[in-house]
């Protein structure tokens, strides 16, 4: 799995159908399908910036890829908090590199918990730690 980088994205404005095609192709490794109504909802809730004259830019592509992946574990409010200090031109590539490193890791998988309760608790703790780090990052910048 390899996501396109900031410099590989189109340097021109695109329409929503092109945005969806690009994002869904990039996320084909994950069970996600982004729809027009999802994009409209993200814009309406101010998690993503408004398109300019119904056209989207590189920032929209990057944010929608990140948002779609984070949405599988975080609420829109939590993601919006992450985006408060997010600069797509620099943060997107770093996000991709970390995701790919973890996804493609040849390291042996950590032993899985013996039961669902333990796995759920690990997920809750990991999520809370991520939220704490996002809050600290916001205060430090």
């Amino acid at each position: 799995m390899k996501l396109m980088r900031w410099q590989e994205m189109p340097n021109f404005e695109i329409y929503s159908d092109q945005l969806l095609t690009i994002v869904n192709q990039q996320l084909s490794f994950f069970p996600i399908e982004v729809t027009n109504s999802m994009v409209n909802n993200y814009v309406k809730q101010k998690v993503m910036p408004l398109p300019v004259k119904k056209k989207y830019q590189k920032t929209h592509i990057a944010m929608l890829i990140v948002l779609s992946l984070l949405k599988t574990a975080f609420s829109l409010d939590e993601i919006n908090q992450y985006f408060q200090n997010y600069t797509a031109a620099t943060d997107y590539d770093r996000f991709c590199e970390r995701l790919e490193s973890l996804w493609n890791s040849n390291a042996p998988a950590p032993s899985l918990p013996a039961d669902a309760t333990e796995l759920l608790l690990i997920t809750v703790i990991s999520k809370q730690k991520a939220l704490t780090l996002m809050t600290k990052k916001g205060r430090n910048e």
Side-chain angles (χ1 to χ4, degrees):
M1 179 274 299
K2 182 172 181 347
L3 294 172
M4 73 167 51
R5 294 301 193 262
W6 181 260
Q7 293 300 324
E8 298 170 330
M9 292 183 187
N11 284 322
F12 49 86
E13 295 176 327
I14 59 175
Y15 290 102
S16 64
D17 60 329
Q18 295 167 308
L19 173 71
L20 293 175
T21 298
I22 291 169
V23 170
N24 283 322
Q25 284 176 346
Q26 291 300 300
L27 298 175
S28 63
F29 69 95
F30 211 78
I32 298 173
E33 184 175 350
V34 181
T35 65
N36 241 340
S37 61
M38 292 165 76
V39 173
N40 292 336
N41 185 43
Y42 301 152
V43 170
K44 181 180 175 183
Q45 295 208 19
K46 298 182 181 175
V47 180
M48 278 182 54
L50 286 166
V52 179
K53 296 181 182 178
K54 297 186 180 186
K55 292 185 179 177
Y56 296 87
Q57 302 166 347
K58 291 169 90 165
T59 299
H60 294 99
I61 298 169
M63 289 183 78
L64 189 54
I65 289 171
V66 171
L67 191 150
S68 298
L69 289 165
L70 293 178
K71 185 71 178 99
T72 64
F74 294 94
S75 71
L76 283 181
D77 288 338
E78 293 164 337
I79 296 167
N80 198 21
Q81 182 180 354
Y82 175 69
F83 280 152
Q84 294 305 308
N85 297 296
Y86 182 85
T87 305
T90 55
D91 293 336
Y92 172 74
D93 283 353
R94 185 174 53 220
F95 179 92
C96 291
E97 289 164 8
R98 290 180 178 163
L99 173 67
E100 290 167 5
S101 175
L102 292 168
W103 187 268
N104 296 324
S105 175
N106 290 329
S111 60
L112 291 175
D115 63 23
T117 301
E118 189 176 346
L119 183 57
L120 289 170
L121 291 172
I122 290 169
T123 303
V124 168
I125 291 166
S126 297
K127 181 177 176 180
Q128 189 56 48
K129 287 184 177 188
L131 291 171
T132 301
L133 288 173
M134 289 188 312
T135 302
K136 286 180 183 176
K137 180 182 178 192
R139 283 192 222 133
N140 292 337
E141 293 183 4

